[in-house]
Amino acid sequence: MTPAPQIPTVTLKGGAMPLLGLGTWQSEGGDAERAVVAALELGYTHVDTATGYGNEAEVGRALSLVDVDRDAVFVTTKLPPDHAGRERRTLHESLAALGTDHLDLWLVHWPPNKQATPATWEQFIAARDEGLVRSIGVSNYSIAQIDELIAATGEAPAVNQIPWSPGDFDADLLAAHAERGVVVEGYSPFKRTDLDDPVLTAIAEAHGVSTRQVVLRWHVDHGIVVIPKSTNKDRIAHNLEALQFTLSADELAQIDGLGGK
């Protein structure tokens, strides 16, 4: 069996976040549990779930079934926007379902009522300061909304999880996050990509890999966290193999050029 490749990380205040993880959106019941077990056995060290996915208990069972140190796995879950005002209760429910005493990352899943909602962010900071969560962040927030949280509390989110793919590439948006010390985490890397694009197929052929692997490697080489979802063990393994090659600066630039297409 080929040893799992070392997954590169990005540093958050609360610890190192693996740049490649397993997404579990739309993974339900036994499928979710089996997917997480397979990923952990293959060498993944990062699992992303959310209260709204309805599978925290399955993710928790998978974590308990695999002989792996809890501190060796980076676990993320998210607060549904309609749970603003009951943040603490939701957090404790998530911890219980996941079978853990802390989260590695807790995100506000969407801006509540489409507003930045600093009151919710203050609750996240308090949970982090109490040790229930190691790092805190947001998902689907605009730069203006992030700035509102910073203005209200003096603290930027560690992470903003947003849709990201070559077609979404926006150097200014990445720079705006970097200026604020916010790590970008991308979701739906394949759904938003033309995997038959000639640029991607040519680069894939040059490396003897798939265009999916090229897309994942592009994220990693840019320092963007990516969490492809799958319940198929072969696909989960295939995604991890994206770490077995690197892209040149020219190849990265070619893929960046797909932004806005």
Side-chain angles (χ1 to χ4, degrees):
M1 183 174 174
T2 305
Q6 184 69 33
I7 300 175
T9 61
V10 62
T11 302
L12 308 181
K13 282 184 183 176
M17 183 179 190
L19 283 168
L20 176 63
L22 177 74
T24 64
W25 180 51
Q26 295 181 324
S27 299
E28 299 177 349
D31 284 345
E33 183 179 323
R34 284 186 291 273
V36 176
V37 166
L40 294 173
E41 289 177 342
L42 287 164
Y44 280 76
T45 54
H46 175 185
V47 179
D48 178 276
T49 183
T51 298
Y53 298 169
N55 61 16
E56 287 176 320
E58 287 78 9
V59 171
R61 272 200 298 277
L63 288 166
S64 71
L65 288 171
V66 180
D67 183 18
V68 61
D69 183 355
R70 166 65 187 90
D71 284 336
V73 183
F74 190 99
V75 179
T76 300
T77 194
K78 311 178 193 80
L79 177 89
D82 60 356
H83 284 221
R86 46 195 164 113
E87 296 86 359
R88 186 57 58 99
R89 187 173 84 193
T90 303
L91 174 57
H92 282 293
E93 289 169 352
S94 290
L95 292 171
L98 289 162
T100 184
D101 63 358
H102 72 278
L103 296 175
D104 296 281
L105 180 63
W106 193 29
L107 304 178
V108 185
H109 204 158
W110 291 87
N113 296 313
K114 301 183 179 179
Q115 303 298 313
T117 318
T120 288
W121 188 235
E122 287 167 359
Q123 290 295 314
F124 271 54
I125 293 169
R128 192 273 319 279
D129 290 348
E130 288 174 34
L132 296 170
V133 185
R134 290 185 171 165
S135 294
I136 51 176
V138 295
S139 183
N140 302 298
Y141 269 57
S142 68
I143 293 296
Q145 289 168 329
I146 288 172
D147 283 343
E148 188 175 337
L149 297 184
I150 296 169
T153 66
E155 178 141 3
V159 171
N160 188 17
Q161 187 182 112
I162 58 176
W164 197 254
S165 70
D168 294 303
F169 182 77
D170 180 337
D172 292 339
L173 183 61
L174 290 184
H177 282 88
E179 286 163 12
R180 292 157 177 80
V182 181
V183 170
V184 174
E185 179 177 16
Y187 67 83
S188 298
F190 305 137
K191 186 159 66 170
R192 304 170 67 84
T193 301
D194 175 7
L195 293 168
D196 295 320
D197 186 283
V199 169
L200 297 177
T201 55
I203 293 171
E205 286 171 9
H207 289 275
V209 299
S210 72
T211 53
R212 287 174 179 268
Q213 290 169 326
V214 168
V215 169
L216 296 178
R217 187 73 229 190
W218 171 79
H219 282 75
V220 170
D221 284 344
H222 270 305
I224 295 170
V225 182
V226 62
I227 44 169
K229 172 260 174 181
S230 181
T231 56
N232 179 289
K233 185 171 183 176
D234 289 341
R235 180 63 57 76
I236 292 168
H238 183 79
N239 289 340
L240 190 60
E241 289 165 3
L243 300 178
Q244 296 177 350
F245 71 102
T246 56
L247 298 169
S248 69
D250 179 63
E251 288 169 332
L252 285 172
Q254 289 180 56
I255 300 169
D256 293 351
L258 299 176
K261 279 186 68 173

